[in-house]
Amino acid sequence: MTTATTTTYRKHYIPLESDPDVFTTLIHKLGVSPRLAFHDILSIRDPDLLAFIPRPVLALILVFPTSETYEREKAREEMSTSDYEGFGEKENVVWFKQTINNACGLYGVLHAVSNGQAKQFIQPHSTLAQLLADCLPLGPEERALALEDSKELESAHAEAAKMGCSEIPANPEDEVDFHYVCFVKSHHDGHLYELDGDRKGPVDRGLRLKSEEDLLSEGGLSIIREFIEREDGGNLNFSLLALAPCW
């Protein structure tokens, strides 16, 4: 993950490959019901290809190489925002500040399964259920430390990081160029939020989805298209994964 500023991390993970099987294995290991899985989205414009994705789509994870365009836009948006201080059951979304290096895939997965309808698929007494019970009453800094300190989370991530076809970096402190951003529908206000642990907090994208609309509704897709088109054709190496029912 490339960032515009230098960040000092206390912990470093081997990055996850952006593969739906890897992500699905991880969430099941953490305690999400096998009724949910991640799926590759091959097009955001072709209705025939979109029709292959099971519905409803509960979250989207966008994977892309960071670029100067992305960093400039993020810096511009954050000039007028303060650090997020939310906590507890009244949060519109659950957000985790990223304090583990090269773990943006993990944070994307956690954001996907901790919000909206996806929370209903977390099995009682599982690693994820206990982690959320511990984290939700905490502010962002304490919540981040709780993730760092979870041995169960670290073990599940390490196991998933060994999967996939990509070469595993020899040193977890080596920087990787790909970043993961999650999009979810709030269970409180129905708004579409962008969740990125490298930002100051969750970003309300100003779109309220109707009760029957999911992340692959036309409104949700328009936010993804806008995100990609900001690159002006200079960064086309995007991939998109959907959290949705199993086939």
Side-chain angles (χ1 to χ4, degrees):
M1 175 183 54
T2 302
T3 54
T5 57
T6 301
T7 304
T8 301
Y9 295 97
R10 297 193 312 165
K11 211 162 197 176
H12 306 265
Y13 282 1
I14 297 294
L16 294 176
E17 182 174 333
S18 58
D19 180 290
D21 291 336
V22 173
F23 280 22
T24 298
T25 297
L26 177 57
I27 64 172
H28 291 170
K29 180 75 173 177
L30 292 174
V32 174
S33 166
R35 290 183 292 158
L36 287 187
F38 280 94
H39 307 268
D40 268 326
I41 296 178
L42 302 179
S43 171
I44 56 173
R45 297 188 183 280
D46 187 328
D48 292 331
L49 291 175
L50 286 169
F52 281 107
I53 305 300
R55 308 292 284 270
V57 170
L58 306 183
L60 294 171
I61 296 180
L62 184 64
V63 188
F64 57 96
T66 51
S67 66
E68 290 185 4
T69 301
Y70 167 75
E71 294 292 357
R72 275 199 311 269
E73 180 65 16
K74 186 175 79 167
R76 183 192 67 79
E77 289 185 339
E78 298 210 313
M79 284 179 63
S80 58
T81 61
S82 55
D83 290 338
Y84 182 68
E85 297 180 347
F87 64 92
E89 292 293 338
K90 293 184 179 180
E91 286 182 287
N92 285 325
V93 288
V94 176
W95 177 77
F96 298 99
K97 178 179 180 178
Q98 181 169 347
T99 57
I100 303 173
N101 191 32
N102 284 337
C104 46
L106 172 63
Y107 285 86
V109 166
L110 290 176
H111 284 139
V113 297
S114 300
N115 285 286
Q117 293 182 39
K119 291 176 67 175
Q120 301 172 15
F121 292 86
I122 298 173
Q123 296 174 327
H125 313 298
S126 64
T127 295
L128 186 56
Q130 185 59 56
L131 195 62
L132 286 180
D134 294 339
C135 285
L136 287 182
L138 305 176
E141 298 296 336
E142 295 81 7
R143 192 178 283 181
L145 291 175
L147 294 190
E148 287 188 31
D149 292 340
S150 173
K151 299 300 182 186
E152 295 82 5
L153 183 64
E154 184 172 6
S155 174
H157 180 277
E159 185 176 323
K162 296 175 183 176
M163 299 175 60
C165 302
S166 302
E167 183 178 353
I168 298 175
N171 184 354
E173 296 189 31
D174 290 345
E175 291 292 333
V176 267
D177 190 37
F178 281 82
H179 194 53
Y180 296 66
V181 173
C182 183
F183 296 86
V184 301
K185 178 181 179 180
S186 167
H187 59 289
H188 277 304
D189 62 13
H191 285 213
L192 188 150
Y193 283 82
E194 177 184 333
L195 302 180
D196 178 352
D198 269 351
R199 282 184 173 267
K200 291 182 176 181
V203 181
D204 183 346
R205 282 303 172 195
L207 172 69
R208 183 174 184 179
L209 297 170
K210 297 177 182 178
S211 59
E212 69 275 13
E213 289 182 316
D214 67 359
L215 273 295
L216 273 196
S217 67
E218 184 54 38
L221 285 172
S222 69
I223 298 295
I224 301 299
R225 294 186 192 117
E226 179 183 322
F227 194 108
I228 294 174
E229 288 167 359
R230 259 198 330 246
E231 297 292 330
D232 295 325
N235 186 351
L236 302 178
N237 196 10
F238 287 84
S239 60
L240 187 63
L241 297 95
L243 178 66
C246 289
W247 296 108

